[in-house]
Amino acid sequence: MTEPHPALRLLWEPPARPTRGPKPGLTLESIARAGIEAADAEGLAAVSMQRVAGLLGHTKMALYRYVPGKAELVALMVEHAAGDPPPPSDAPWREQLTDWAHRMSAVLAAHPWLLDALAAPRPTGPRELAWLERVVAALDGHGLSGAERMDAAVLLVGHVRAIAAQHRQSRDGSPEAELLRALVPLIHTHATRYPALAAALAEPPGGRDDAYDFGIARILDGLAALIDHRRGSPAVERKPDPEA
């Protein structure tokens, strides 16, 4: 039988507070917070057991009494940085998922290193799992299968992460504007070779530079169409796109 990852115990079964003896000098939360401080300042690569121990005023060997290694440390950091998802709500499913996506986007903007941590296989903690729970719960009772509700969660997560990654790589925080600055001169020069691009750029700029909201709206439109199809009812009126 395969041994569970050591981080699973730390994430799901945190050690009980001792009832006797001296008070522990560290906690899993304080260790995670120190790692988050280092990663927020210099990126995930800057995080090490030595660095975190120094921030806490302890030796690296003292840190090993609580966390076996860096993989477990990063798992704790992800769990604490993710925070709690939106609370359960009776709002329409579309409003719930829009709010969920914006909140997740805000978490990734506050902690850009999470994109690196989330890209690698790792143990999943209760808070991270609760974020997925909110999406699946919002879509419950609308005619979608369990697999479809799970796929919807993966689709939303993927879009939010992709746009967050683009923003992190952009020098001015606007990947769409940065891309246009690079492409516009080329397209204008070679308009006859790329007529569709030239025509698109010639139109008024309404709705441009909004790939995040546009993508969320289209994903939710697709889910709404599937829900309507399962119910056998005509498609309901869609909410207008922001800045359309």
PDB file of all heavy atoms in Angstrom, residues 165-197:
ATOM      1  N   ALA A 165      -1.550  34.272 -15.368  1.00  0.00           N
ATOM      2  CA  ALA A 165      -0.182  34.052 -15.846  1.00  0.00           C
ATOM      3  C   ALA A 165       0.206  35.103 -16.875  1.00  0.00           C
ATOM      4  O   ALA A 165       1.338  35.608 -16.885  1.00  0.00           O
ATOM      5  CB  ALA A 165      -0.049  32.648 -16.440  1.00  0.00           C
ATOM      6  N   GLN A 166      -0.726  35.465 -17.745  1.00  0.00           N
ATOM      7  CA  GLN A 166      -0.440  36.499 -18.735  1.00  0.00           C
ATOM      8  C   GLN A 166      -0.185  37.842 -18.065  1.00  0.00           C
ATOM      9  O   GLN A 166       0.724  38.582 -18.458  1.00  0.00           O
ATOM     10  CB  GLN A 166      -1.613  36.615 -19.714  1.00  0.00           C
ATOM     11  CG  GLN A 166      -1.779  35.414 -20.627  1.00  0.00           C
ATOM     12  CD  GLN A 166      -2.997  35.552 -21.533  1.00  0.00           C
ATOM     13  OE1 GLN A 166      -3.497  36.647 -21.742  1.00  0.00           O
ATOM     14  NE2 GLN A 166      -3.472  34.427 -22.043  1.00  0.00           N
ATOM     15  N   HIS A 167      -0.963  38.163 -17.054  1.00  0.00           N
ATOM     16  CA  HIS A 167      -0.765  39.428 -16.350  1.00  0.00           C
ATOM     17  C   HIS A 167       0.572  39.452 -15.615  1.00  0.00           C
ATOM     18  O   HIS A 167       1.227  40.498 -15.554  1.00  0.00           O
ATOM     19  CB  HIS A 167      -1.918  39.656 -15.368  1.00  0.00           C
ATOM     20  CG  HIS A 167      -3.140  40.248 -16.001  1.00  0.00           C
ATOM     21  ND1 HIS A 167      -3.307  41.589 -16.198  1.00  0.00           N
ATOM     22  CD2 HIS A 167      -4.264  39.660 -16.503  1.00  0.00           C
ATOM     23  CE1 HIS A 167      -4.466  41.823 -16.788  1.00  0.00           C
ATOM     24  NE2 HIS A 167      -5.067  40.658 -16.989  1.00  0.00           N
ATOM     25  N   ARG A 168       0.971  38.314 -15.078  1.00  0.00           N
ATOM     26  CA  ARG A 168       2.253  38.277 -14.374  1.00  0.00           C
ATOM     27  C   ARG A 168       3.416  38.519 -15.325  1.00  0.00           C
ATOM     28  O   ARG A 168       4.417  39.152 -14.963  1.00  0.00           O
ATOM     29  CB  ARG A 168       2.431  36.924 -13.667  1.00  0.00           C
ATOM     30  CG  ARG A 168       3.696  36.866 -12.822  1.00  0.00           C
ATOM     31  CD  ARG A 168       3.799  35.590 -12.027  1.00  0.00           C
ATOM     32  NE  ARG A 168       3.988  34.417 -12.848  1.00  0.00           N
ATOM     33  CZ  ARG A 168       4.359  33.224 -12.381  1.00  0.00           C
ATOM     34  NH1 ARG A 168       4.552  33.066 -11.073  1.00  0.00           N
ATOM     35  NH2 ARG A 168       4.498  32.191 -13.178  1.00  0.00           N
ATOM     36  N   GLN A 169       3.301  38.038 -16.543  1.00  0.00           N
ATOM     37  CA  GLN A 169       4.371  38.190 -17.520  1.00  0.00           C
ATOM     38  C   GLN A 169       4.350  39.547 -18.214  1.00  0.00           C
ATOM     39  O   GLN A 169       5.340  39.949 -18.823  1.00  0.00           O
ATOM     40  CB  GLN A 169       4.265  37.081 -18.574  1.00  0.00           C
ATOM     41  CG  GLN A 169       4.493  35.682 -18.009  1.00  0.00           C
ATOM     42  CD  GLN A 169       4.096  34.584 -18.981  1.00  0.00           C
ATOM     43  OE1 GLN A 169       3.689  34.859 -20.101  1.00  0.00           O
ATOM     44  NE2 GLN A 169       4.193  33.333 -18.534  1.00  0.00           N
ATOM     45  N   SER A 170       3.226  40.243 -18.114  1.00  0.00           N
ATOM     46  CA  SER A 170       3.104  41.536 -18.784  1.00  0.00           C
ATOM     47  C   SER A 170       3.835  42.609 -17.991  1.00  0.00           C
ATOM     48  O   SER A 170       3.754  42.669 -16.768  1.00  0.00           O
ATOM     49  CB  SER A 170       1.630  41.911 -18.931  1.00  0.00           C
ATOM     50  OG  SER A 170       1.489  43.210 -19.446  1.00  0.00           O
ATOM     51  N   ARG A 171       4.526  43.476 -18.680  1.00  0.00           N
ATOM     52  CA  ARG A 171       5.292  44.527 -18.008  1.00  0.00           C
ATOM     53  C   ARG A 171       4.403  45.594 -17.404  1.00  0.00           C
ATOM     54  O   ARG A 171       4.763  46.218 -16.407  1.00  0.00           O
ATOM     55  CB  ARG A 171       6.276  45.170 -18.995  1.00  0.00           C
ATOM     56  CG  ARG A 171       7.455  44.279 -19.353  1.00  0.00           C
ATOM     57  CD  ARG A 171       8.247  44.839 -20.511  1.00  0.00           C
ATOM     58  NE  ARG A 171       7.461  44.814 -21.750  1.00  0.00           N
ATOM     59  CZ  ARG A 171       7.936  45.199 -22.928  1.00  0.00           C
ATOM     60  NH1 ARG A 171       9.168  45.653 -23.032  1.00  0.00           N
ATOM     61  NH2 ARG A 171       7.169  45.142 -24.008  1.00  0.00           N
ATOM     62  N   ASP A 172       3.250  45.845 -17.998  1.00  0.00           N
ATOM     63  CA  ASP A 172       2.372  46.892 -17.476  1.00  0.00           C
ATOM     64  C   ASP A 172       1.063  46.350 -16.927  1.00  0.00           C
ATOM     65  O   ASP A 172       0.135  47.107 -16.657  1.00  0.00           O
ATOM     66  CB  ASP A 172       2.082  47.943 -18.555  1.00  0.00           C
ATOM     67  CG  ASP A 172       1.348  47.349 -19.765  1.00  0.00           C
ATOM     68  OD1 ASP A 172       1.022  46.152 -19.721  1.00  0.00           O
ATOM     69  OD2 ASP A 172       1.110  48.089 -20.727  1.00  0.00           O
ATOM     70  N   GLY A 173       0.973  45.025 -16.782  1.00  0.00           N
ATOM     71  CA  GLY A 173      -0.227  44.423 -16.212  1.00  0.00           C
ATOM     72  C   GLY A 173      -1.391  44.283 -17.165  1.00  0.00           C
ATOM     73  O   GLY A 173      -2.473  43.886 -16.764  1.00  0.00           O
ATOM     74  N   SER A 174      -1.179  44.597 -18.440  1.00  0.00           N
ATOM     75  CA  SER A 174      -2.244  44.470 -19.431  1.00  0.00           C
ATOM     76  C   SER A 174      -1.718  43.688 -20.618  1.00  0.00           C
ATOM     77  O   SER A 174      -1.193  44.261 -21.577  1.00  0.00           O
ATOM     78  CB  SER A 174      -2.727  45.855 -19.885  1.00  0.00           C
ATOM     79  OG  SER A 174      -3.723  45.735 -20.881  1.00  0.00           O
ATOM     80  N   PRO A 175      -1.821  42.358 -20.579  1.00  0.00           N
ATOM     81  CA  PRO A 175      -1.261  41.545 -21.667  1.00  0.00           C
ATOM     82  C   PRO A 175      -1.912  41.827 -23.010  1.00  0.00           C
ATOM     83  O   PRO A 175      -1.247  41.774 -24.042  1.00  0.00           O
ATOM     84  CB  PRO A 175      -1.521  40.108 -21.205  1.00  0.00           C
ATOM     85  CG  PRO A 175      -2.604  40.203 -20.187  1.00  0.00           C
ATOM     86  CD  PRO A 175      -2.428  41.531 -19.521  1.00  0.00           C
ATOM     87  N   GLU A 176      -3.220  42.131 -23.024  1.00  0.00           N
ATOM     88  CA  GLU A 176      -3.878  42.418 -24.295  1.00  0.00           C
ATOM     89  C   GLU A 176      -3.302  43.679 -24.937  1.00  0.00           C
ATOM     90  O   GLU A 176      -2.991  43.707 -26.134  1.00  0.00           O
ATOM     91  CB  GLU A 176      -5.391  42.572 -24.096  1.00  0.00           C
ATOM     92  CG  GLU A 176      -6.078  41.300 -23.605  1.00  0.00           C
ATOM     93  CD  GLU A 176      -6.169  41.261 -22.088  1.00  0.00           C
ATOM     94  OE1 GLU A 176      -5.414  42.015 -21.422  1.00  0.00           O
ATOM     95  OE2 GLU A 176      -6.975  40.475 -21.564  1.00  0.00           O
ATOM     96  N   ALA A 177      -3.146  44.738 -24.106  1.00  0.00           N
ATOM     97  CA  ALA A 177      -2.599  45.989 -24.639  1.00  0.00           C
ATOM     98  C   ALA A 177      -1.158  45.807 -25.104  1.00  0.00           C
ATOM     99  O   ALA A 177      -0.739  46.357 -26.130  1.00  0.00           O
ATOM    100  CB  ALA A 177      -2.673  47.082 -23.570  1.00  0.00           C
ATOM    101  N   GLU A 178      -0.403  45.009 -24.361  1.00  0.00           N
ATOM    102  CA  GLU A 178       0.989  44.773 -24.733  1.00  0.00           C
ATOM    103  C   GLU A 178       1.076  44.011 -26.053  1.00  0.00           C
ATOM    104  O   GLU A 178       1.919  44.306 -26.917  1.00  0.00           O
ATOM    105  CB  GLU A 178       1.689  43.995 -23.618  1.00  0.00           C
ATOM    106  CG  GLU A 178       3.180  43.923 -23.748  1.00  0.00           C
ATOM    107  CD  GLU A 178       3.823  43.387 -22.478  1.00  0.00           C
ATOM    108  OE1 GLU A 178       3.710  44.034 -21.429  1.00  0.00           O
ATOM    109  OE2 GLU A 178       4.434  42.309 -22.553  1.00  0.00           O
ATOM    110  N   LEU A 179       0.192  43.045 -26.223  1.00  0.00           N
ATOM    111  CA  LEU A 179       0.177  42.283 -27.472  1.00  0.00           C
ATOM    112  C   LEU A 179      -0.195  43.180 -28.647  1.00  0.00           C
ATOM    113  O   LEU A 179       0.415  43.111 -29.726  1.00  0.00           O
ATOM    114  CB  LEU A 179      -0.812  41.125 -27.359  1.00  0.00           C
ATOM    115  CG  LEU A 179      -0.989  40.252 -28.608  1.00  0.00           C
ATOM    116  CD1 LEU A 179       0.320  39.554 -28.965  1.00  0.00           C
ATOM    117  CD2 LEU A 179      -2.102  39.228 -28.389  1.00  0.00           C
ATOM    118  N   LEU A 180      -1.179  44.033 -28.433  1.00  0.00           N
ATOM    119  CA  LEU A 180      -1.594  44.933 -29.514  1.00  0.00           C
ATOM    120  C   LEU A 180      -0.479  45.892 -29.910  1.00  0.00           C
ATOM    121  O   LEU A 180      -0.290  46.183 -31.100  1.00  0.00           O
ATOM    122  CB  LEU A 180      -2.839  45.718 -29.086  1.00  0.00           C
ATOM    123  CG  LEU A 180      -4.164  44.945 -29.108  1.00  0.00           C
ATOM    124  CD1 LEU A 180      -5.274  45.804 -28.535  1.00  0.00           C
ATOM    125  CD2 LEU A 180      -4.505  44.489 -30.515  1.00  0.00           C
ATOM    126  N   ARG A 181       0.249  46.386 -28.936  1.00  0.00           N
ATOM    127  CA  ARG A 181       1.353  47.299 -29.250  1.00  0.00           C
ATOM    128  C   ARG A 181       2.379  46.621 -30.142  1.00  0.00           C
ATOM    129  O   ARG A 181       2.996  47.265 -31.001  1.00  0.00           O
ATOM    130  CB  ARG A 181       2.027  47.786 -27.959  1.00  0.00           C
ATOM    131  CG  ARG A 181       1.257  48.876 -27.246  1.00  0.00           C
ATOM    132  CD  ARG A 181       2.130  49.573 -26.215  1.00  0.00           C
ATOM    133  NE  ARG A 181       2.548  48.666 -25.160  1.00  0.00           N
ATOM    134  CZ  ARG A 181       1.853  48.448 -24.049  1.00  0.00           C
ATOM    135  NH1 ARG A 181       0.707  49.079 -23.845  1.00  0.00           N
ATOM    136  NH2 ARG A 181       2.304  47.623 -23.121  1.00  0.00           N
ATOM    137  N   ALA A 182       2.565  45.324 -29.940  1.00  0.00           N
ATOM    138  CA  ALA A 182       3.541  44.597 -30.754  1.00  0.00           C
ATOM    139  C   ALA A 182       2.983  44.255 -32.133  1.00  0.00           C
ATOM    140  O   ALA A 182       3.717  44.243 -33.124  1.00  0.00           O
ATOM    141  CB  ALA A 182       3.977  43.322 -30.032  1.00  0.00           C
ATOM    142  N   LEU A 183       1.669  43.998 -32.209  1.00  0.00           N
ATOM    143  CA  LEU A 183       1.094  43.508 -33.459  1.00  0.00           C
ATOM    144  C   LEU A 183       0.588  44.603 -34.387  1.00  0.00           C
ATOM    145  O   LEU A 183       0.618  44.436 -35.612  1.00  0.00           O
ATOM    146  CB  LEU A 183      -0.068  42.551 -33.146  1.00  0.00           C
ATOM    147  CG  LEU A 183       0.293  41.226 -32.469  1.00  0.00           C
ATOM    148  CD1 LEU A 183      -0.957  40.383 -32.303  1.00  0.00           C
ATOM    149  CD2 LEU A 183       1.348  40.474 -33.252  1.00  0.00           C
ATOM    150  N   VAL A 184       0.097  45.692 -33.817  1.00  0.00           N
ATOM    151  CA  VAL A 184      -0.541  46.714 -34.655  1.00  0.00           C
ATOM    152  C   VAL A 184       0.355  47.215 -35.784  1.00  0.00           C
ATOM    153  O   VAL A 184      -0.082  47.278 -36.946  1.00  0.00           O
ATOM    154  CB  VAL A 184      -1.050  47.882 -33.787  1.00  0.00           C
ATOM    155  CG1 VAL A 184      -1.384  49.103 -34.651  1.00  0.00           C
ATOM    156  CG2 VAL A 184      -2.293  47.453 -33.006  1.00  0.00           C
ATOM    157  N   PRO A 185       1.624  47.579 -35.504  1.00  0.00           N
ATOM    158  CA  PRO A 185       2.461  48.043 -36.617  1.00  0.00           C
ATOM    159  C   PRO A 185       2.625  46.993 -37.718  1.00  0.00           C
ATOM    160  O   PRO A 185       2.611  47.319 -38.914  1.00  0.00           O
ATOM    161  CB  PRO A 185       3.792  48.366 -35.948  1.00  0.00           C
ATOM    162  CG  PRO A 185       3.458  48.596 -34.521  1.00  0.00           C
ATOM    163  CD  PRO A 185       2.336  47.669 -34.224  1.00  0.00           C
ATOM    164  N   LEU A 186       2.772  45.722 -37.315  1.00  0.00           N
ATOM    165  CA  LEU A 186       2.931  44.658 -38.302  1.00  0.00           C
ATOM    166  C   LEU A 186       1.668  44.479 -39.137  1.00  0.00           C
ATOM    167  O   LEU A 186       1.721  44.314 -40.359  1.00  0.00           O
ATOM    168  CB  LEU A 186       3.281  43.342 -37.600  1.00  0.00           C
ATOM    169  CG  LEU A 186       4.667  43.260 -36.951  1.00  0.00           C
ATOM    170  CD1 LEU A 186       4.777  41.982 -36.134  1.00  0.00           C
ATOM    171  CD2 LEU A 186       5.751  43.307 -38.008  1.00  0.00           C
ATOM    172  N   ILE A 187       0.521  44.510 -38.458  1.00  0.00           N
ATOM    173  CA  ILE A 187      -0.736  44.296 -39.176  1.00  0.00           C
ATOM    174  C   ILE A 187      -1.025  45.448 -40.129  1.00  0.00           C
ATOM    175  O   ILE A 187      -1.481  45.246 -41.261  1.00  0.00           O
ATOM    176  CB  ILE A 187      -1.885  44.102 -38.169  1.00  0.00           C
ATOM    177  CG1 ILE A 187      -1.674  42.789 -37.386  1.00  0.00           C
ATOM    178  CG2 ILE A 187      -3.239  44.081 -38.876  1.00  0.00           C
ATOM    179  CD1 ILE A 187      -2.611  42.603 -36.228  1.00  0.00           C
ATOM    180  N   HIS A 188      -0.755  46.658 -39.680  1.00  0.00           N
ATOM    181  CA  HIS A 188      -0.977  47.805 -40.567  1.00  0.00           C
ATOM    182  C   HIS A 188      -0.064  47.735 -41.796  1.00  0.00           C
ATOM    183  O   HIS A 188      -0.479  48.053 -42.911  1.00  0.00           O
ATOM    184  CB  HIS A 188      -0.734  49.114 -39.810  1.00  0.00           C
ATOM    185  CG  HIS A 188      -1.861  49.501 -38.913  1.00  0.00           C
ATOM    186  ND1 HIS A 188      -3.164  49.166 -39.179  1.00  0.00           N
ATOM    187  CD2 HIS A 188      -1.886  50.205 -37.744  1.00  0.00           C
ATOM    188  CE1 HIS A 188      -3.952  49.639 -38.225  1.00  0.00           C
ATOM    189  NE2 HIS A 188      -3.189  50.276 -37.335  1.00  0.00           N
ATOM    190  N   THR A 189       1.160  47.309 -41.585  1.00  0.00           N
ATOM    191  CA  THR A 189       2.116  47.230 -42.691  1.00  0.00           C
ATOM    192  C   THR A 189       1.744  46.137 -43.678  1.00  0.00           C
ATOM    193  O   THR A 189       1.960  46.268 -44.893  1.00  0.00           O
ATOM    194  CB  THR A 189       3.532  46.996 -42.154  1.00  0.00           C
ATOM    195  OG1 THR A 189       3.871  48.047 -41.257  1.00  0.00           O
ATOM    196  CG2 THR A 189       4.554  46.931 -43.279  1.00  0.00           C
ATOM    197  N   HIS A 190       1.186  45.059 -43.155  1.00  0.00           N
ATOM    198  CA  HIS A 190       0.877  43.900 -44.001  1.00  0.00           C
ATOM    199  C   HIS A 190      -0.627  43.635 -44.019  1.00  0.00           C
ATOM    200  O   HIS A 190      -1.068  42.483 -43.942  1.00  0.00           O
ATOM    201  CB  HIS A 190       1.630  42.673 -43.492  1.00  0.00           C
ATOM    202  CG  HIS A 190       3.108  42.858 -43.408  1.00  0.00           C
ATOM    203  ND1 HIS A 190       3.935  42.806 -44.512  1.00  0.00           N
ATOM    204  CD2 HIS A 190       3.916  43.119 -42.335  1.00  0.00           C
ATOM    205  CE1 HIS A 190       5.189  43.001 -44.133  1.00  0.00           C
ATOM    206  NE2 HIS A 190       5.202  43.200 -42.827  1.00  0.00           N
ATOM    207  N   ALA A 191      -1.420  44.704 -44.115  1.00  0.00           N
ATOM    208  CA  ALA A 191      -2.876  44.572 -44.038  1.00  0.00           C
ATOM    209  C   ALA A 191      -3.446  43.684 -45.138  1.00  0.00           C
ATOM    210  O   ALA A 191      -4.416  42.941 -44.915  1.00  0.00           O
ATOM    211  CB  ALA A 191      -3.523  45.952 -44.092  1.00  0.00           C
ATOM    212  N   THR A 192      -2.871  43.723 -46.312  1.00  0.00           N
ATOM    213  CA  THR A 192      -3.417  42.897 -47.399  1.00  0.00           C
ATOM    214  C   THR A 192      -3.178  41.413 -47.154  1.00  0.00           C
ATOM    215  O   THR A 192      -3.930  40.573 -47.647  1.00  0.00           O
ATOM    216  CB  THR A 192      -2.778  43.300 -48.735  1.00  0.00           C
ATOM    217  OG1 THR A 192      -1.347  43.198 -48.634  1.00  0.00           O
ATOM    218  CG2 THR A 192      -3.151  44.736 -49.097  1.00  0.00           C
ATOM    219  N   ARG A 193      -2.147  41.097 -46.404  1.00  0.00           N
ATOM    220  CA  ARG A 193      -1.839  39.693 -46.107  1.00  0.00           C
ATOM    221  C   ARG A 193      -2.699  39.177 -44.942  1.00  0.00           C
ATOM    222  O   ARG A 193      -2.988  37.976 -44.873  1.00  0.00           O
ATOM    223  CB  ARG A 193      -0.356  39.558 -45.773  1.00  0.00           C
ATOM    224  CG  ARG A 193       0.107  38.131 -45.613  1.00  0.00           C
ATOM    225  CD  ARG A 193       1.620  38.073 -45.446  1.00  0.00           C
ATOM    226  NE  ARG A 193       2.104  36.708 -45.309  1.00  0.00           N
ATOM    227  CZ  ARG A 193       3.393  36.385 -45.156  1.00  0.00           C
ATOM    228  NH1 ARG A 193       4.317  37.341 -45.152  1.00  0.00           N
ATOM    229  NH2 ARG A 193       3.745  35.126 -45.031  1.00  0.00           N
ATOM    230  N   TYR A 194      -3.087  40.097 -44.043  1.00  0.00           N
ATOM    231  CA  TYR A 194      -3.880  39.709 -42.871  1.00  0.00           C
ATOM    232  C   TYR A 194      -5.136  40.583 -42.808  1.00  0.00           C
ATOM    233  O   TYR A 194      -5.302  41.404 -41.894  1.00  0.00           O
ATOM    234  CB  TYR A 194      -3.065  39.850 -41.588  1.00  0.00           C
ATOM    235  CG  TYR A 194      -1.761  39.085 -41.624  1.00  0.00           C
ATOM    236  CD1 TYR A 194      -0.552  39.743 -41.862  1.00  0.00           C
ATOM    237  CD2 TYR A 194      -1.734  37.711 -41.434  1.00  0.00           C
ATOM    238  CE1 TYR A 194       0.651  39.046 -41.907  1.00  0.00           C
ATOM    239  CE2 TYR A 194      -0.547  36.998 -41.479  1.00  0.00           C
ATOM    240  CZ  TYR A 194       0.641  37.672 -41.713  1.00  0.00           C
ATOM    241  OH  TYR A 194       1.816  36.980 -41.758  1.00  0.00           O
ATOM    242  N   PRO A 195      -6.026  40.442 -43.781  1.00  0.00           N
ATOM    243  CA  PRO A 195      -7.178  41.342 -43.864  1.00  0.00           C
ATOM    244  C   PRO A 195      -8.141  41.228 -42.688  1.00  0.00           C
ATOM    245  O   PRO A 195      -8.741  42.222 -42.274  1.00  0.00           O
ATOM    246  CB  PRO A 195      -7.851  40.946 -45.178  1.00  0.00           C
ATOM    247  CG  PRO A 195      -7.405  39.534 -45.424  1.00  0.00           C
ATOM    248  CD  PRO A 195      -6.014  39.467 -44.884  1.00  0.00           C
ATOM    249  N   ALA A 196      -8.329  40.038 -42.155  1.00  0.00           N
ATOM    250  CA  ALA A 196      -9.259  39.877 -41.033  1.00  0.00           C
ATOM    251  C   ALA A 196      -8.741  40.602 -39.791  1.00  0.00           C
ATOM    252  O   ALA A 196      -9.507  41.270 -39.078  1.00  0.00           O
ATOM    253  CB  ALA A 196      -9.477  38.397 -40.735  1.00  0.00           C
ATOM    254  N   LEU A 197      -7.441  40.477 -39.508  1.00  0.00           N
ATOM    255  CA  LEU A 197      -6.863  41.186 -38.373  1.00  0.00           C
ATOM    256  C   LEU A 197      -6.928  42.695 -38.582  1.00  0.00           C
ATOM    257  O   LEU A 197      -7.242  43.453 -37.654  1.00  0.00           O
ATOM    258  CB  LEU A 197      -5.404  40.755 -38.169  1.00  0.00           C
ATOM    259  CG  LEU A 197      -5.192  39.347 -37.620  1.00  0.00           C
ATOM    260  CD1 LEU A 197      -3.714  38.984 -37.657  1.00  0.00           C
ATOM    261  CD2 LEU A 197      -5.714  39.248 -36.191  1.00  0.00           C
TER     262      LEU A 197
END
